[in-house]
């Protein structure tokens, strides 16, 4: 059993807490952080989304790959790649960069994200939950950001009554195009309002 404690905590999302793997700094372990059923379902939904992507994609280097379940002191955890900057620090989400970093080039970040979404759309990668906290920007030695999707629940965490976009390529593309536009709009919106969110 893996022992997880607060010293290993990287960040917390709505349903899961993400810890550095105690035995391997290149991995994270995600565990449900509340008691709701949705929290414990998140890891299963993510693994299912990941497996579907793997069945369909050839070369998705820009996601954190999932390796299956482990037993931890905080419940059943999902093991995934830990995305790190070239200097070894855990990469930060777009949210953390645009809200907490005083000096950042918003137009550059928007261009990086536009390209990233374009790449996913071309490959029909159904990652609908493309929000500011589900994408990290890996800072490379040359100053270039490489984006990675770290939360792959979106495909099957679908609020549609009939989940057409989980299965139809046409509707999936349309939805991804909407998601790209919203994501880029939110980068500017939250940057402008950052004092209220800090
Ligand atoms: N593979 C990863 N590498 C680095 N940080 C990660 C990784 N996965 C998650 N995180 C961090 O943990 C947070 C919560 O993870 P996430 O999978 O989005 O949980 P939730 O299902 O609650 O949304 C993310 O916003 C990010 O800051
Ligand atoms: Mg998330």
């Amino acid at each position: 059993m893996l022992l997880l404690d607060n010293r290993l905590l990287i960040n917390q999302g709505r349903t899961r807490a993400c810890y550095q793997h105690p035995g391997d700094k290149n991995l994270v372990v995600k565990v449900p952080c509340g008691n709701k059923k949705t929290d414990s379902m998140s890891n299963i939904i993510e693994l299912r989304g990941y497996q579907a992507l793997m069945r369909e994609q050839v070369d998705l280097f820009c996601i954190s790959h999932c390796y299956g379940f482990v037993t931890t002191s905080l419940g059943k955890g999902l093991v995934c790649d830990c995305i790190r900057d070239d200097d070894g620090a855990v990469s930060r989400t777009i949210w953390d960069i645009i809200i907490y970093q005083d000096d950042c080039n918003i137009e550059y970040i928007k261009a990086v994200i536009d390209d990233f979404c374009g790449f996913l759309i071309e490959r029909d990668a159904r990652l609908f939950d493309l929000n500011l906290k589900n994408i990290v920007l890996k800072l490379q030695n040359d100053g270039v950001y490489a984006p990675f999707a770290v939360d792959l629940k979106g495909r099957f965490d679908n609020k549609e009554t009939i989940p057409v976009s989980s299965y139809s390529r046409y509707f999936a593309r349309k939805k991804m195009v909407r998601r790209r536009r919203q994501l880029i709009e939110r980068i500017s919106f939250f940057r402008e309002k950052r004092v209220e969110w800090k």
Side-chain angles (χ1 to χ4, degrees):
M1 183 175 77
L2 292 180
L3 283 177
L4 299 179
D5 68 54
N6 272 341
R7 282 168 302 178
L8 297 168
L9 183 67
I10 294 173
N11 211 344
Q12 200 159 315
R14 223 190 315 231
T15 64
R16 293 174 294 173
C18 177
Y19 291 85
Q20 190 181 305
H21 189 295
D24 186 340
K25 70 178 186 34
N26 293 315
L27 297 175
V28 299
V29 186
K30 298 187 193 186
V31 292
C33 59
N35 296 320
K36 291 200 298 292
K37 187 152 182 270
T38 44
D39 296 353
S40 55
M41 282 304 289
S42 287
N43 276 341
I44 294 167
I45 295 172
E46 173 153 64
L47 187 59
R48 215 178 133 212
Y50 174 73
Q51 287 167 340
L53 276 175
M54 286 302 102
R55 273 198 302 276
E56 294 160 2
Q57 306 307 316
V58 232
D59 187 18
L60 270 187
F61 54 84
C62 53
I63 60 170
S64 65
H65 291 261
C66 303
Y67 302 104
F69 289 104
V70 279
T71 307
T72 82
S73 51
L74 300 175
K76 203 168 165 191
L78 179 65
V79 178
C80 311
D81 285 328
C82 181
I83 311 302
R84 290 181 180 271
D85 295 346
D86 279 351
D87 72 1
V90 176
S91 300
R92 290 174 307 150
T93 60
I94 308 174
W95 174 267
D96 286 340
I97 294 172
I98 66 171
I99 300 293
Y100 300 109
Q101 188 174 306
D102 290 335
D103 161 34
C104 71
N105 184 339
I106 290 295
E107 290 311 311
Y108 169 58
I109 293 175
K110 280 162 62 177
V112 166
I113 293 306
D114 195 36
D115 276 0
F116 176 60
C117 293
F119 173 88
L120 297 175
I121 292 167
E122 265 172 34
R123 282 160 184 75
D124 293 306
R126 292 167 201 187
L127 291 171
F128 304 130
D129 204 1
L130 286 179
N131 71 50
L132 301 171
K133 297 182 180 176
N134 286 342
I135 300 170
V136 299
L137 296 176
K138 174 187 172 87
L139 181 61
Q140 303 177 126
N141 283 336
D142 54 7
V144 169
Y145 276 136
F148 282 77
V150 294
D151 181 340
L152 313 175
K153 293 196 298 298
R155 175 164 180 160
F156 294 114
D157 196 16
N158 203 325
K159 311 284 184 299
E160 297 161 10
T161 323
I162 301 168
V164 282
S165 59
S166 294
Y167 301 99
S168 147
R169 200 170 117 175
Y170 171 78
F171 287 110
R173 275 203 175 192
K174 283 183 77 122
K175 190 164 174 172
M176 284 292 285
V177 168
R178 284 200 305 277
R179 291 287 185 269
R180 163 161 69 180
R181 199 193 57 239
Q182 288 163 352
L183 183 60
I184 290 172
E185 282 168 6
R186 283 178 189 155
I187 294 175
S188 305
F189 177 84
F190 285 106
R191 177 69 180 179
E192 278 160 29
K193 301 235 179 262
R194 64 194 279 253
V195 281
E196 296 168 28
W197 292 89
K198 268 205 245 188

